């Protein structure tokens, strides 16, 4: 169904206006692993993820993938180029089959100017991205690989809506995705998850990873002495 009713950013606007906005979009379906946007390209549209999900990634000089985020259904991406008129800052790859609606920068900026509450939401999202990236830069500069994996788990965890004082990650990303986010190997991620499970700090159940002892994970991070030469990368 080609409508924007499930897009969080647009949920407060009038349904008639949202329908009109849908008609201004270009709609396209992408298959898993299909490239949607290429870094440094000059396209400036904003994309709404109506169905499926996409990964925001870059590649180092050696070809190593660095994952920034996964954008799920109901969210959007591409606002940076629409706002500052500069080339794309990352590659966008379909994570699974997805339906996207792309909106021109002209219409997107009109939307922001006519709805200050939407503009504020976009600003708040950009502020969150800056904070997360600041934290990751600090992690890369000061923490070893094992600590970075643990820190990323803490960063992804959300309060469990069913159990009080409990935290979980849903859906749990693949080990490869976590590895690319913290600049390490999938084997290191697997080893860390195994150790945390063995210490009864996490529990994997289906697509969920439950953080059984969040403070225990924080204490584990603090207990690791980082010395050059003995930190797995």
């Amino acid at each position: 169904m080609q409508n924007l009713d499930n897009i969080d950013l647009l949920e407060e606007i009038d349904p008639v206006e949202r329908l009109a906005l849908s008609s201004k979009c270009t709609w396209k379906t992408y298959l898993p692993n299909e490239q949607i946007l290429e870094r440094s390209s000059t396209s400036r549209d904003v994309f709404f993820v109506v169905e499926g999900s996409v990964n925001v990634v870059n590649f180092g000089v050696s070809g190593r993938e660095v994952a920034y985020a996964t954008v799920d259904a109901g969210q959007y991406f591409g606002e940076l180029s629409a706002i500052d008129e500069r080339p794309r800052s990352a590659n966008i790859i379909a994570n699974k089959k997805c339906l996207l609606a792309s909106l021109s920068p002209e219409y997107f900026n009109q939307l922001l100017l006519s709805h200050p509450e939407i503009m504020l939401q976009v600003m708040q999202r950009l502020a969150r991205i800056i904070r997360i990236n600041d934290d990751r830069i600090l992690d890369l500069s000061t923490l070893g690989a094992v600590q970075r994996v643990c820190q990323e788990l803490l960063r992804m965890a959300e309060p469990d809506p069913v159990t009080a004082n409990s935290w979980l990650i849903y859906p749990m990303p693949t080990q490869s995705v976590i590895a690319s986010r913290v600049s390490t190997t999938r084997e290191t991620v697997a080893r860390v998850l195994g150790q945390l499970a063995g210490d009864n700090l996490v529990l994997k159940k289906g697509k969920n990873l439950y953080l059984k002892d969040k403070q225990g994970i924080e204490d584990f991070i603090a207990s690791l002495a980082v010395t050059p030469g003995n930190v797995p990368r």
Side-chain angles (χ1 to χ4, degrees):
M1 184 179 298
Q2 293 188 350
N3 65 62
L4 301 171
D5 292 347
N6 72 327
I7 303 301
D8 296 342
L9 182 69
L10 308 175
E11 63 182 1
E12 298 298 327
I13 68 175
D14 183 83
V16 175
E17 183 179 358
R18 191 163 56 239
L19 182 61
L21 194 65
S22 300
S23 68
K24 296 175 181 177
C25 292
T26 300
W27 296 76
K28 185 173 179 180
T29 298
Y30 293 86
L31 299 177
N33 300 315
E34 186 174 353
Q35 183 153 13
I36 299 164
L37 289 176
E38 184 177 1
R39 185 177 188 271
S40 299
S41 66
T42 56
S43 126
R44 292 177 49 221
D45 286 1
V46 174
F47 290 76
F48 300 106
V49 184
V50 179
E51 298 174 4
S53 65
V54 305
N55 290 328
V56 185
V57 303
N58 265 332
F59 299 94
V61 175
S62 65
R64 183 173 184 173
E65 180 181 302
V66 178
Y68 292 159
T70 298
V71 184
D72 294 312
Q75 301 177 356
Y76 64 96
F77 62 88
E79 72 278 16
L80 282 181
S81 291
I83 292 171
D84 68 7
E85 302 182 6
R86 294 178 60 82
R88 299 295 185 181
S89 60
N91 301 280
I92 307 294
I93 310 293
N95 183 39
K96 58 181 73 172
K97 185 178 179 180
C98 56
L99 174 63
L100 304 183
S102 59
L103 184 67
S104 72
E106 292 77 19
Y107 283 132
F108 181 70
N109 287 320
Q110 287 178 19
L111 177 70
L112 298 184
L113 293 173
S114 59
H115 291 279
E117 72 280 9
I118 292 180
M119 182 183 292
L120 180 60
Q121 288 185 60
V122 172
M123 291 173 60
Q124 290 171 336
R125 180 174 184 269
L126 293 175
R128 286 195 299 272
I129 291 172
I130 291 171
R131 288 182 182 276
I132 289 171
N133 287 340
D134 283 349
D135 288 342
R136 285 180 173 160
I137 291 170
L138 181 63
D139 290 351
L140 285 169
S141 302
T142 62
L143 300 180
V146 171
Q147 293 169 302
R148 295 199 303 272
V149 173
C150 293
Q151 195 69 40
E152 186 66 18
L153 296 178
L154 293 174
R155 190 176 289 123
M156 291 188 293
E158 300 284 349
D160 187 341
V162 176
T163 306
N165 301 316
S166 180
W167 296 75
L168 81 160
I169 301 171
Y170 176 84
M172 178 65 175
T174 66
Q175 294 174 0
S176 295
V177 167
I178 296 174
S180 64
R181 287 182 183 177
V182 300
S183 191
T184 188
T185 64
R186 187 194 63 78
E187 291 75 15
T188 297
V189 175
R191 186 166 62 251
V192 172
L193 290 172
Q195 181 171 351
L196 294 177
D199 292 341
N200 204 33
L201 297 176
V202 302
L203 174 65
K204 183 73 164 61
K205 185 180 293 186
K207 294 183 178 181
N208 293 350
L209 182 75
Y210 293 90
L211 276 61
K212 300 179 65 177
D213 186 352
K214 190 178 180 184
Q215 183 60 52
I217 297 175
E218 294 174 351
D219 293 342
F220 175 64
I221 294 172
S223 71
L224 295 174
V226 180
T227 56
N230 69 355
V231 179
R233 293 294 175 183

